[in-house]
């Protein structure tokens, strides 16, 4: 047994990104099976249906079946879709859509021991390449994270598709990806100090750093380009940062304070922002907890403001502020990722840091 545990990363076998790459789907499917089954949500499926079917037909691997009814990744939905896949005698799953659809597709593939290809239709998530599936209840309460024996055999990111989704998605994706530049280094430091069995790879840390640099350099331009309907190098770079780099960085674990603060804030009545937007706020809370230089915090804060990511508590929604201490308490739940911070974080520290982010933002020129 090595003294400092095992370094591990689980990656997709293939990642392909570019304009029009959806046309290659059929050829990729043929390498793994002959009877593909699509799992998606209704909106996602409507957007890619014609292109998916055409590509599969052209490659001689027509669709064996599809289920476009995913609205939430629940155990019931996973079982229901798995039964349909078995009825269709499909031998490969294609998950099309956002996080819920691809998570359901991945969970079904794990259950049936079939390969899975993911085809994202937007950019708010990096779920497409991760070897896990987050399961919720019907009323969107977190149930469990299922860890998969393998990552997707292919992540096919057609920028014609993801960059034509509403611009708010790429902003949310950037908010979520922002955290990897801070959480993974904190996580890595903690695991090293604990001589834990799970160690971060230097590769993941490097990729995370690259992800953060890309977001800072091209994020604002990418948002403008997506709003203008243009697919530029900035857009391609940011899509890669969200879809490939942040997932590579997080793979094998790596959340810390930013996601814990997100999880805490989700219990506050009135919260009106989505996952990536709340994580961006949580990232600034983590930076304050780490006592990072003010210049560094302000740089990230300005970047968030330019993108429209929340930097004030009031921008998170009409929050019932009396719940803030409870949110801070939940953020420090010993089973949550706050425990991956390299120093002890108390609910009081979280509460102070949230208010400090808010007042820093207020003073930001
Ligand atoms: Zn996240």
């Amino acid at each position: 047994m090595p003294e400092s545990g095992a370094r591990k990363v689980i990656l997709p076998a293939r990642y392909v990104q570019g304009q029009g790459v959806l046309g290659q789907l059929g050829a990729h499917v043929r390498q793994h099976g002959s009877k593909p089954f699509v799992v998606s949500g209704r909106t996602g499926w409507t957007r890619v249906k014609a292109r998916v079917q055409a590509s599969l037909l052209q490659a001689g691997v027509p669709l064996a079946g599809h289920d476009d009814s995913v609205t939430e990744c629940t155990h019931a939905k996973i079982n229901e879709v798995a039964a349909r896949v078995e009825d269709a005698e499909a031998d490969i799953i294609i998950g099309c859509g956002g996080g819920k659809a691809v998570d359901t597709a991945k969970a079904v593939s794990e259950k049936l021991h079939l390969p899975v290809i993911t085809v994202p239709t937007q950019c708010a998530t990096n779920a497409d390449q991760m070897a896990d599936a987050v399961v919720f209840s019907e009323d969107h309460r977190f149930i469990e994270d299922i860890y998969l024996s393998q990552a997707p055999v292919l992540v096919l990111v057609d920028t014609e598709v993801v960059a034509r989704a509403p611009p708010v998605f790429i902003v949310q994706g950037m908010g979520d990806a922002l955290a990897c530049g801070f959480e993974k280094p904190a996580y890595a430091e903690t695991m090293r100090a604990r001589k834990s069995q799970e160690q971060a790879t230097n590769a993941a840390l490097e990729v995370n750093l690259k992800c953060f640099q890309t977001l800072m350099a091209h994020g604002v331009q990418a948002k403008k380009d997506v709003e203008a309907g243009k697919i530029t190098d900035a857009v391609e770079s940011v899509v890669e940062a969200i879809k490939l780099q942040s997932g590579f960085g997080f793979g094998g674990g790596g959340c810390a304070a930013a996601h814990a603060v997100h999880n805490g804030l989700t219990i506050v009545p009135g919260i009106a922002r989505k996952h990536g937007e709340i994580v961006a706020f949580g990232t600034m809370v983590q930076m304050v907890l780490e006592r990072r230089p003010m210049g560094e915090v302000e740089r990230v804060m300005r970047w968030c403001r330019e993108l429209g990511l929340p930097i004030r508590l009031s921008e998170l929604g009409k929050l019932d502020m009396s719940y803030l201490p409870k949110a801070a308490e939940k953020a420090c739940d010993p089973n949550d990722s706050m425990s991956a911070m390299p120093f002890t974080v108390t609910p009081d520290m979280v509460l102070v840091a949230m208010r400090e982010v808010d007042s820093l933002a207020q003073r930001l020129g």
Side-chain angles (χ1 to χ4, degrees), residues 34-260:
S34 58
K35 299 187 79 181
F37 189 103
V38 163
V39 179
S40 72
R42 202 142 290 156
T43 318
W45 184 229
T46 308
R47 292 190 58 218
V48 295
K49 183 180 174 183
R51 277 174 278 188
V52 166
Q53 286 180 326
S55 178
L56 293 176
L57 268 180
Q58 199 183 6
V61 283
L63 209 53
H66 80 275
D67 186 319
D68 65 352
S69 68
V70 178
T71 53
E72 188 63 88
C73 179
T74 63
H75 279 300
K77 183 52 78 177
I78 294 165
N79 291 334
E80 180 193 320
V81 176
R84 295 195 61 186
V85 171
E86 280 186 313
D87 282 350
E89 294 177 352
D91 56 9
I92 180 165
I93 312 280
I94 303 170
C96 288
K100 295 174 196 313
V102 299
D103 274 7
T104 305
K106 288 185 295 179
V108 169
S109 82
E110 182 74 9
K111 196 176 165 72
L112 302 178
H113 308 289
L114 294 177
V116 62
I117 288 174
T118 54
V119 179
T121 54
Q122 40 96 329
C123 243
T125 169
N126 61 13
D128 326 284
Q129 77 139 72
M130 306 287 273
D132 70 342
V134 188
V135 182
F136 289 92
S137 63
E138 292 295 345
D139 56 348
H140 200 63
R141 278 179 303 109
F142 172 81
I143 302 286
E144 65 167 327
D145 205 353
I146 302 177
Y147 293 97
L148 313 181
S149 50
Q150 60 172 6
V153 292
L154 168 70
V155 182
L156 192 62
V157 187
D158 192 328
T159 24
E160 276 291 344
V161 176
V162 297
R164 303 248 185 259
V168 68
F169 287 123
I170 198 167
V171 172
Q172 289 166 2
M174 283 195 265
D176 200 20
L178 172 70
C180 74
F182 300 90
E183 290 193 297
K184 189 76 176 207
Y187 168 93
E189 190 185 331
T190 304
M191 296 305 141
R192 258 199 314 274
R194 286 185 195 157
K195 296 195 188 311
S196 161
Q197 285 310 303
E198 295 273 326
Q199 294 289 321
T201 60
N202 288 335
L205 289 164
E206 284 298 315
V207 173
N208 270 329
L209 186 62
K210 180 69 189 162
C211 176
F212 175 69
Q213 289 165 344
T214 303
L215 294 176
M216 289 297 117
H218 305 294
V220 173
Q221 188 59 47
K223 183 198 175 200
K224 286 180 186 155
D225 293 342
V226 167
E227 282 170 344
K230 292 189 286 191
I231 298 168
T232 57
D233 279 349
V235 172
E236 294 283 1
S237 291
V238 166
V239 169
E240 189 201 307
I242 295 170
K243 291 295 185 193
L244 179 65
Q245 295 170 3
S246 81
F248 184 117
F250 272 124
C255 287
H259 273 80

Side-chain angles (χ1 to χ4, degrees), residues 322-334:
S322 67
Y323 275 77
L324 228 46
K326 278 199 194 105
E329 194 120 348
K330 180 163 166 51
C332 298
D333 183 321

Side-chain angles (χ1 to χ4, degrees), residues 257-258 261 265 278-291 297 338 341 349-355 357-358:
V261 170
L265 282 168
I278 307 170
V279 169
F281 186 84
T283 303
M284 283 172 286
V285 175
Q286 176 169 336
M287 292 179 82
V288 167
L289 286 169
E290 291 172 333
R291 302 193 178 286
V297 181
M338 191 65 86
M341 288 297 282
M349 288 162 72
V350 173
L351 199 56
V352 169
M354 286 197 286
R355 294 204 166 115
V357 168
D358 189 61

